[in-house]
Amino acid sequence: MSMNDEMHSVEELLDTALGLFMELASDNLPEQEIARFNQEFNDRGLLAETDPADDWEADVGFAVSDTDYAEIWVGLGNEEQEYEHLFARMLLSRRVDEKFCHIEWLPQ
């Protein structure tokens, strides 16, 4: 594998996503959402990686492949570990040599 083909692990992607979320949330979420995150995330927080949804291309302007990109969800869950509330949906590059992140705040 050449250096250009090196991919982030899922754990690295989740760590990066949470770090970016923490850095940018105060500029992009309403105060009540920040308060909710701070009050509930330690007990009910969910952070998960999934294949990118089909709608990212319209947001970012290029074809998004599952091989090169991951979708990360930051939210709150219930006892069954199902998402009840999403603070952010993020698209990150899996490639180590590509720094790319696009965030949809409070997705429906």
Side-chain angles (χ1 to χ4, degrees):
M1 180 183 297
S2 75
M3 190 64 161
N4 292 341
D5 293 334
E6 190 176 350
M7 300 290 200
H8 288 291
S9 68
V10 170
E11 184 175 307
E12 289 170 328
L13 288 169
L14 294 175
D15 287 347
T16 298
L18 188 57
L20 289 167
F21 176 88
M22 299 296 281
E23 181 181 334
L24 300 171
S26 64
D27 293 332
N28 293 282
L29 290 175
E31 262 184 57
Q32 70 270 19
E33 290 293 323
I34 300 292
R36 185 174 185 185
F37 177 86
N38 289 335
Q39 291 168 351
E40 299 182 42
F41 194 76
N42 282 343
D43 294 327
R44 301 184 5 172
L46 294 177
L47 184 66
E49 180 263 349
T50 186
D51 289 338
D54 294 336
D55 62 347
W56 282 112
E57 184 172 350
D59 287 346
V60 298
F62 58 85
V64 175
S65 75
D66 299 353
T67 305
D68 295 325
Y69 296 91
E71 184 172 321
I72 309 293
W73 290 12
V74 181
L76 300 175
N78 59 24
E79 289 93 24
E80 290 81 35
Q81 297 294 300
E82 299 167 330
Y83 279 88
E84 288 185 343
H85 182 77
L86 274 181
F87 295 106
R89 185 174 79 115
M90 308 169 82
L91 183 69
L92 279 81
S93 175
R94 295 180 187 274
R95 295 186 175 282
V96 170
D97 63 346
E98 180 184 4
K99 303 292 183 215
F100 177 86
C101 178
H102 186 82
I103 303 173
E104 182 182 349
W105 299 97
L106 297 175
Q108 297 302 316

